[in-house]
């Protein structure tokens, strides 16, 4: 039976440490780190994510502001909101909740966020730094996974790592972080031939596909570490991952559950990035 990697517990401990560092920051600089979240439209999942982010900020002592805009907001209006936040001294991090309503180009909007306030690490300049291995914000979900591996004492060095999924927010940056940690990395996608042969080689297998129970037991090597990024809803509305947990758990050495695995770590790493942005801001002024 695999060890269940408890993302909630790792997240709780990491947030405790962030809370302590935040108290130290407030004492030293007389202000709290601040995150502004911009949300356009009323997508129900996005509303929940934004609420959770804002609650997490309050819990660790950050200032947080949510700017709600209608789905019909124009690109110019949204850019002017970002422009104001850009020069607002109490705002260290700016996050625009994705997906944006139809008609708004996410690339234009994300590139308007100044890189030093881009706590999601989606700006082209931060993506470039991730490629180069330069110190910068790390994309929250992959960074949360690296933190979990570190806390669990799972070394990536020399391991065969397979990432299924190549999105800009999960798959690609995940591959880069594993590579920087000296893993031998293969990235798979919907055109990959012989997927099962490749996933079966993995010492560390990361599933970021968006399809319930996509990774079955026969795709996993005995003793592998299996990280499930998926957040899908089954026919009963229940949250499920990309991995067939019950079957794979018997074969893996360690596995993240859904819920309670990668999900809680993502917001925790957003907090980490916001504190880092606040530290950058005071050191630059
Ligand atoms: P995307 O839809 O952007 O990417 C999915 C990837 O899976 C694509 O690269 C796609 O390949 C690949 N894929 C699809 N079908 C197959 C297949 N049959 N074989 C191999 N690869 C395939 O999703 P995201 O990366 O944004 O998210 C992935 C999952 O993770 C979702 O369930 C999402 O909800 C969840 N998620 C969870 C987070 C968390 O905090 N826990 C945060 C972010 C996402 P191709 O590129 O060829 O189309």
């Amino acid at each position: 039976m695999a060890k269940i990697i408890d993302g909630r517990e790792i997240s709780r401990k990491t947030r405790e440490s962030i809370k302590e560092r935040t108290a130290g920051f407030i004492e030293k600089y007389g202000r709290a780190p601040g995150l502004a979240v911009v949300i356009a439209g009323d997508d129900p999942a996005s509303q929940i994510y934004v609420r959770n982010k804002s609650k997490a900020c309050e819990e660790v002592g950050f200032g947080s502001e949510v700017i709600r805009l209608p789905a019909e907001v124009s690109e110019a209006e949204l850019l002017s909101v970002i422009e104001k936040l850009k020069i607002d001294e109490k705002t260290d991090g700016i996050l625009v909740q994705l997906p944006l309503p139809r008609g708004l180009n996410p690339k234009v909007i994300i590139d308007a966020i100044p890189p030093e306030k881009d706590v999601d690490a989606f700006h082209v300049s931060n993506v470039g730094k991730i490629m180069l291995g330069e110190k910068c914000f790390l994309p929250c979900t992959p960074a949360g996974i690296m933190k979990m591996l570190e806390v669990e004492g799972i070394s990536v060095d020399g391991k065969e790592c397979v990432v299924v999924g190549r999105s800009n927010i999960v798959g690609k940056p995940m591959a880069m972080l594993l590579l920087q940690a000296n893993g031998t990395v293969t990235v798979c996608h919907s055109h990959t031939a012989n997927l099962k042969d490749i996933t079966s080689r993995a010492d560390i297998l990361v599933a970021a596909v968006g399809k319930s129970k996509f990774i079955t037991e026969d795709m996993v090597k005995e003793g592998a570490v299996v990280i499930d990024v998926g957040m899908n809803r089954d026919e009963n509305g229940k949250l499920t991952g990309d991995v067939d947990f019950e079957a794979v758990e018997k074969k893996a050495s360690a596995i993240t559950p859904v819920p309670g695995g990668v999900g809680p770590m993502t917001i925790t790493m957003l907090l980490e990035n916001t504190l880092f942005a606040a530290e950058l801001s005071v050191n630059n002024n």
Side-chain angles (χ1 to χ4, degrees):
M1 275 306 219
K3 159 136 214 267
I4 312 293
I5 302 176
D6 186 346
R8 288 199 183 105
E9 182 56 16
I10 299 172
S11 180
R12 189 187 63 74
K13 287 203 178 124
T14 312
R15 288 187 198 193
E16 255 172 33
S17 141
I18 294 171
K19 193 172 176 177
E20 274 171 30
R21 284 158 54 210
T22 300
F25 181 96
I26 295 170
E27 198 172 300
K28 192 161 172 196
Y29 300 106
R31 71 167 183 92
L35 176 71
V37 180
V38 183
I39 176 166
D42 48 15
D43 175 61
S46 293
Q47 298 284 347
I48 296 173
Y49 295 144
V50 167
R51 208 162 44 236
N52 290 344
K53 284 168 187 172
S54 168
K55 195 167 150 242
C57 280
E58 279 159 30
E59 278 168 14
V60 295
F62 291 0
S64 91
E65 181 186 8
V66 179
I67 298 161
R68 292 177 196 281
L69 302 168
E72 308 74 40
V73 66
S74 69
E75 185 174 287
E77 283 165 323
L78 184 44
L79 289 174
S80 94
V81 168
I82 294 173
E83 204 54 41
K84 282 191 197 115
L85 293 171
K86 202 167 158 177
I87 52 170
D88 179 18
E89 284 179 4
K90 67 179 192 314
T91 300
D92 298 296
I94 304 172
L95 182 156
V96 177
Q97 185 65 41
L98 301 178
L100 287 169
R102 218 186 284 223
L104 293 170
N105 181 347
K107 180 155 173 42
V108 171
I109 304 301
I110 299 302
D111 284 350
I113 299 173
E116 66 279 9
K117 294 193 177 190
D118 169 41
V119 284
D120 254 343
F122 292 164
H123 189 284
V124 66
S125 148
N126 286 323
V127 174
K129 284 187 179 173
I130 294 160
M131 277 288 291
L132 296 172
E134 286 180 17
K135 190 167 167 56
C136 73
F137 301 110
L138 294 179
C140 300
T141 302
I145 292 169
M146 296 307 286
K147 177 83 184 174
M148 289 171 119
L149 294 176
E150 180 199 313
V151 170
E152 292 297 327
I154 298 166
S155 167
V156 175
D157 202 319
K159 299 277 170 60
E160 185 99 38
C161 305
V162 175
V163 181
V164 190
R166 58 171 166 181
S167 70
N168 290 336
I169 63 164
V170 188
K172 282 186 204 161
M174 184 74 249
M176 287 315 304
L177 297 190
L178 290 166
L179 186 60
Q180 274 154 25
N182 296 326
T184 302
V185 185
T186 307
V187 183
C188 302
H189 45 79
S190 68
H191 295 247
T192 297
N194 305 322
L195 180 65
K196 187 177 131 186
D197 292 348
I198 300 168
T199 58
S200 303
R201 289 201 317 249
D203 300 310
I204 299 175
L205 176 61
V206 180
V209 184
K211 291 183 177 164
S212 204
K213 298 194 179 179
F214 181 82
I215 301 289
T216 46
E217 181 250 339
D218 58 331
M219 296 170 81
V220 177
K221 180 166 103 173
E222 191 80 45
V225 172
V226 180
I227 306 292
D228 190 351
V229 184
M231 292 209 303
N232 316 298
R233 296 273 164 197
D234 70 7
E235 56 282 5
N236 303 315
K238 194 176 156 238
L239 191 64
T240 65
D242 286 347
V243 176
D244 182 356
F245 184 88
E246 281 74 26
V248 171
E249 183 203 11
K250 297 187 179 79
K251 209 168 177 187
S253 60
I255 188 166
T256 61
V258 177
V262 175
M265 292 302 295
T266 298
I267 293 187
T268 299
M269 299 324 279
L270 172 69
L271 299 174
E272 194 74 72
N273 280 349
T274 304
L275 184 53
F276 178 59
E279 282 159 358
L280 273 181
S281 161
V282 291
N283 288 329
N284 288 339
N285 289 326

